[in-house]
Amino acid sequence: RYSPDVVLSAHIVSSPAARAIRRLTGAPYAQYVYGQEVPARTRLAAFATKRADAVIAISAYTEQLALACGTAPKRMRRIPPGVDLPSAVAAEMRADRPTIITVARLRERYKGHDVLIRALPIIRGAVPTVQWVVVGDGPERASYESEVRARGLDDSVTFVGVVDDRERDAWLDRGHVFAMPSRLADDGGGEGFGIVYLEAGAHGLPVIAGDVAGARDAVIDGETGRLVDPTDHRKVAEAAIELLTNHDLSRQMGRAGQRNARDLAWPRIAIRVEQVLLELVGTSESF
């Protein structure tokens, strides 16, 4: 009784349904791909992307993953994820202590918490009052807390656990630097993009990210933050020390991060996705 004009498959797990709708109604479909799910489920990813009328990849890294699955280049569309902008950023809310913020689940070690723990003694050598606030929770938390205690870093690290969006935003407003030096995971996957880098930028924070995978699209190296070798704790420490001590540079990068976030705000990104769907309605062809 109902026949759609176009279908948006928001994850590869919904691609069989999107394909079935296409076979039943002729409605074209666009398939979203993000990153980690592609190497994790290669057969399903290939099914999803080869048969889609358009494939929306959120970064150059994710686009290459989709192309490796056999996606036709002419069907690829690269559209980054969007970011929700804060209503305001109060500069006077910055913490008195130099503060590094990390927001990430404590489930996958590739997020880089372990590297930051190794970097922190070096950072403290240059910025003795530094504090690292870890937002998020997961099964790796106990391991990280044990390592922090073993290194005598208790007075410099605070694990705040899972928080709601309002409290997360409050921590981003208090921080001075955002750091999440993600690396490639054991299965070869990595950050598909890293919306959290945009969220930090939206709050005026310069960011430190790993120079791999989708973070290369989310962070403009030298403009909104630093891309570093995410396996080298010394490089991570050097970037943190620079951004904590060079206040002019940090403010400059923070302002650039806010501009970048405005350019990638969800209303603008939604228009780009809508244009892909309208394009499919106008140019769909039968297989």
Side-chain angles (χ1 to χ4, degrees), residues 13 26 35 47-48 61 68 72 94 118 120 122 140 157 165 171 198 214-215 217 252 271:
V13 296
F47 172 89
Y61 163 72
R94 300 295 179 199
R118 295 198 299 274
L120 196 55
I122 301 174
E140 293 291 341
V157 183
D165 290 350
W171 278 114
L198 292 185
D217 284 39
Q252 177 182 330
I271 290 172

Side-chain angles (χ1 to χ4, degrees), residues 5 27-29 34 52 56 65 72 79 89 96 138 146 152 166-167 187 192 217 242 245 255:
D5 296 304
Y29 78 93
Y34 305 97
I56 301 173
L65 292 177
I79 303 176
V89 178
D96 293 333
S146 294
R166 178 176 296 182
E167 187 173 347
D187 62 4
D217 284 39
E242 176 189 37
T245 59
R255 287 192 293 267

Side-chain angles (χ1 to χ4, degrees), residues 204-274:
L205 293 182
V207 304
I208 300 170
D211 190 13
V212 296
R216 291 172 171 169
D217 284 39
V219 180
I220 306 173
D221 189 30
E223 184 174 332
T224 65
R226 294 291 189 208
L227 292 173
V228 300
D229 180 349
T231 66
D232 188 338
H233 68 282
R234 294 179 181 82
K235 294 296 184 183
V236 173
E238 288 173 5
I241 292 168
E242 176 189 37
L243 295 177
L244 288 171
T245 59
N246 189 333
H247 303 303
D248 289 340
L249 177 64
S250 290
R251 282 192 291 268
Q252 177 182 330
M253 287 186 170
R255 287 192 293 267
Q258 289 177 312
R259 291 193 297 271
N260 189 47
R262 286 194 293 269
D263 289 341
L264 299 179
W266 268 120
R268 294 190 177 192
I269 297 302
I271 290 172
R272 294 172 62 178
V273 176
E274 183 183 50

Side-chain angles (χ1 to χ4, degrees), residues 52-274:
D53 299 274
V55 175
I56 301 173
I58 63 173
S59 66
Y61 163 72
T62 304
E63 181 178 327
Q64 290 305 309
L65 292 177
L67 291 171
C69 286
T71 305
K74 67 178 182 179
R75 297 185 180 183
M76 289 298 314
R77 307 289 187 275
R78 193 192 308 172
I79 303 176
V83 63
D84 293 316
L85 300 179
S87 57
V89 178
E92 64 273 12
M93 290 182 63
R94 300 295 179 199
D96 293 333
R97 292 178 66 181
T99 301
I100 301 170
I101 305 289
T102 301
V103 180
R105 58 184 179 268
L106 308 184
R107 179 174 297 277
E108 301 91 355
R109 292 187 73 85
Y110 80 86
K111 293 288 185 179
H113 295 85
D114 54 338
V115 177
L116 277 163
I117 291 172
R118 295 198 299 274
L120 196 55
I122 301 174
I123 299 170
R124 287 211 310 184
V127 188
T129 59
V130 66
Q131 66 172 338
W132 176 35
V133 177
V134 182
V135 180
D137 212 338
E140 293 291 341
R141 176 171 175 170
S143 172
Y144 293 148
E145 288 179 325
S146 294
E147 189 170 355
V148 165
R149 286 192 297 270
R151 292 176 179 269
L153 300 172
D154 303 65
D155 60 340
S156 296
V157 183
T158 301
F159 290 86
V160 300
V162 176
V163 300
D164 60 24
D165 290 350
R166 178 176 296 182
E167 187 173 347
R168 177 207 59 198
D169 289 348
W171 278 114
L172 291 174
D173 283 337
R174 294 175 205 163
H176 298 92
V177 174
F178 180 88
M180 191 179 78
S182 290
R183 56 187 180 269
L184 293 178
D186 292 339
D187 62 4
E191 294 292 340
F193 183 83
I195 297 177
V196 69
Y197 299 122
L198 292 185
E199 292 172 338
H203 286 264
L205 293 182
V207 304
I208 300 170
D211 190 13
V212 296
R216 291 172 171 169
D217 284 39
V219 180
I220 306 173
D221 189 30
E223 184 174 332
T224 65
R226 294 291 189 208
L227 292 173
V228 300
D229 180 349
T231 66
D232 188 338
H233 68 282
R234 294 179 181 82
K235 294 296 184 183
V236 173
E238 288 173 5
I241 292 168
E242 176 189 37
L243 295 177
L244 288 171
T245 59
N246 189 333
H247 303 303
D248 289 340
L249 177 64
S250 290
R251 282 192 291 268
Q252 177 182 330
M253 287 186 170
R255 287 192 293 267
Q258 289 177 312
R259 291 193 297 271
N260 189 47
R262 286 194 293 269
D263 289 341
L264 299 179
W266 268 120
R268 294 190 177 192
I269 297 302
I271 290 172
R272 294 172 62 178
V273 176
E274 183 183 50

